[in-house]
Amino acid sequence: MDPLSVGLVAGLIGLALGVVGMFAFSLSERSRRVPLDIDEPTLPEGAAEVLSVVGRAYIVLDTVDGVVRASPGAYAFGLVRGHTVVHQELVELAKRVRSDGVIEERDLILPRLALPAAGQSAGGAAAAGVQGAALHGAPNQSTLVIQVRVAPLGEEYILLLADDRTEIARTEAVRNDFVANVSHELKTPVGAISLLAEALESAPEDQATVRRFASRMMTESARLAALIQDIIELSRVQGKDVAVVGTEVDMNAVIAEAVDRTRTPAQSRNITLAVGQAHPAWVHGEQAQLVTALRNLIDNAVRYSPENTQVGIGLSTTDGVVSVSISDQGDGLTPAEQDRIFERFYRVDTARSRHTGGTGLGLSIVKHIISNHGGEVTLWSAPKMGSTFTVRLPELSNPMADGATHHRADRHPHLN
């Protein structure tokens, strides 16, 4: 081939390569402008709408247990962190449902703050241990009780529905404890009365024995009546809405009536009830309930004070708060006893409480009444230094006409 032909062929090849290159560059630019079509995880049609109105916390997991979607409630309960299920128990439930397709429902008690499930290879057993221990008692502040329903969602997803049952479980545990305690407390006086009645029947001619056993029967009957009355009172204060039935209440009148009701047992032990000066102090509430609360506190102070001592009752108002303090000169309480003093049926000294006729419900009633009135009751105490219970209630400002406060001291002259 001559040199001219070779040059012509080379030129044609170069031109062809240039055209191909320009075409390839054009395709490349065009592909850059078109977004990549990557499939995002999608729920079955209508599932998202149903989940939005289901009213329960939910989690949707993919085939590798990653969180595809979760409700705010699931995050609030601490079930999900980022895109990871926190608790290994939930992951195991999801795996079983994915494996056999059978819907499962469980009640679980889980720690509120836990490591994500992916990091629980060594901690899974520990978490299960926490769960097992919690199932035998009332849930505490660090545990969450949930009812979980796990089901397949479409062909590739798993749905977990969670319902918070913590408060229900706590209430149920308290109710069970209360029933058990009431049964135990009622058995004691009833059993004693039964035995005393048999003793009386076997010795009808022995007048001294009859009188002695009859006296003990009266004591046990009084204990039984007091216990039943306190149970009724506790049930009553738990079911009443003070915000609806409450009225304007003068706390000076409440103190006066509570002191009057406890004056006789105090005098029998030569205990002086020292009442401070009256002050204008009004609250919104039910006077009968507030009298019951203060009477229980004063009665408690009298019961646990040595003879020939003094119980002080003081009233003050500061920054919109009405405070009533009841102080005794008793043995005082240890920190451990103070933590439990408001529990139902708790007694610091069981033997002494039975001797004095205490039911173990008085302070629990006080706590419920004051809580119903939007207030609080606190305790300061130290061994050998006595105890001071303080009730704090929101003050009712300008409760009546201006003349309402001018005659309070006249109605309660002994408070001055």
Side-chain angles (χ1 to χ4, degrees):
M1 184 179 291
D2 58 39
L4 179 61
S5 298
V6 173
L8 181 61
V9 171
L12 291 173
I13 293 173
L15 177 63
L17 290 175
V19 171
V20 171
M22 290 179 63
F23 182 72
F25 178 77
S26 176
L27 287 177
S28 175
E29 286 297 308
R30 191 177 304 167
S31 66
R32 287 196 186 106
R33 289 194 297 269
V34 177
L36 296 176
D37 187 14
I38 300 175
D39 291 337
E40 293 289 339
T42 57
L43 300 179
E45 184 177 355
E49 290 76 7
V50 173
L51 291 175
S52 65
V53 296
V54 74
R56 299 173 71 179
Y58 67 83
I59 306 170
V60 179
L61 301 180
D62 58 20
T63 55
V64 292
D65 296 324
V67 177
V68 175
R69 183 172 298 186
S71 67
Y75 286 95
F77 293 159
L79 304 179
V80 175
R81 194 170 301 163
H83 294 284
T84 305
V85 175
V86 172
H87 301 284
Q88 185 66 30
E89 294 88 344
L90 299 179
V91 175
E92 294 298 329
L93 279 174
K95 288 180 178 179
R96 286 205 296 271
V97 172
R98 186 182 294 109
S99 173
D100 56 29
V102 178
I103 296 175
E104 294 211 23
E105 190 165 339
R106 293 284 187 277
D107 289 330
L108 300 175
I109 298 185
L110 305 171
R112 287 187 181 274
L113 298 176
L115 295 174
Q120 287 187 351
S121 58
V130 170
Q131 177 186 344
L135 284 171
H136 295 291
N140 54 45
Q141 296 300 320
S142 63
T143 57
L144 174 73
V145 181
I146 60 170
Q147 185 181 68
V148 183
R149 184 177 178 86
V150 186
L153 183 63
E155 296 182 357
E156 53 183 322
Y157 299 114
I158 296 294
L159 173 65
L160 290 85
L161 293 175
D163 192 17
D164 185 9
R165 313 283 290 180
T166 305
E167 193 57 38
I168 295 174
R170 184 178 290 112
T171 301
E172 181 69 14
V174 170
R175 185 187 69 83
N176 291 338
D177 289 344
F178 181 70
V179 171
N181 287 331
V182 167
S183 301
H184 174 75
E185 295 292 332
L186 288 175
K187 282 166 59 178
T188 301
V190 169
I193 292 172
S194 177
L195 290 174
L196 291 168
E198 292 179 7
L200 281 175
E201 186 180 26
S202 63
E205 305 300 330
D206 189 342
Q207 294 300 315
T209 300
V210 169
R211 283 193 295 271
R212 183 171 72 255
F213 287 166
S215 176
R216 291 188 58 187
M217 286 183 68
M218 291 178 62
T219 300
E220 294 297 333
S221 297
R223 280 187 56 205
L224 183 59
L227 177 59
I228 293 173
Q229 182 58 41
D230 276 353
I231 293 172
I232 294 172
E233 184 67 30
L234 183 59
S235 175
R236 188 173 72 87
V237 301
Q238 286 179 320
K240 181 164 288 190
D241 188 351
V242 175
V244 175
V245 302
T247 58
E248 298 160 351
V249 178
D250 181 3
M251 288 303 295
N252 294 281
V254 172
I255 292 174
E257 186 173 349
V259 168
D260 188 61
R261 292 190 181 186
T262 52
R263 197 175 298 279
T264 298
Q267 290 175 345
S268 67
R269 305 186 64 232
N270 198 28
I271 292 176
T272 303
L273 300 180
V275 184
Q277 186 176 2
H279 297 282
W282 291 75
V283 300
H284 178 82
E286 187 180 46
Q287 180 161 333
Q289 283 197 21
L290 292 172
V291 169
T292 297
L294 294 191
R295 177 183 60 79
N296 282 352
L297 288 176
I298 298 172
D299 183 67
N300 185 75
V302 170
R303 289 177 187 273
Y304 292 96
S305 292
E307 294 184 1
N308 307 312
T309 58
Q310 176 177 288
V311 170
I313 302 100
L315 172 68
S316 64
T317 56
T318 306
D319 297 330
V321 176
V322 176
S323 299
V324 181
S325 297
I326 294 93
S327 301
D328 63 52
Q329 298 175 334
D331 294 334
L333 302 170
T334 66
E337 292 168 340
Q338 293 178 45
D339 289 341
R340 301 190 59 194
I341 196 66
F342 291 103
E343 293 181 12
R344 297 168 180 172
F345 296 110
Y346 178 75
R347 297 183 177 94
V348 175
D349 186 341
T350 304
R352 183 176 179 184
S353 182
R354 293 190 185 280
H355 176 71
T356 58
T359 64
L361 288 174
L363 294 180
S364 180
I365 291 173
V366 171
K367 182 179 179 181
H368 279 287
I369 290 176
I370 302 305
S371 295
N372 287 350
H373 285 75
E376 64 173 0
V377 54
T378 58
L379 167 65
W380 177 91
S381 186
K384 307 302 180 183
M385 296 183 66
S387 302
T388 298
F389 288 87
T390 301
V391 170
R392 295 182 179 88
L393 297 166
E395 184 178 16
L396 186 63
S397 58
N398 300 321
M400 300 174 68
D402 291 339
T405 61
H406 297 319
H407 60 281
R408 293 181 208 169
D410 296 335
R411 287 184 293 167
H412 318 295
H414 61 286
L415 294 181
N416 293 313

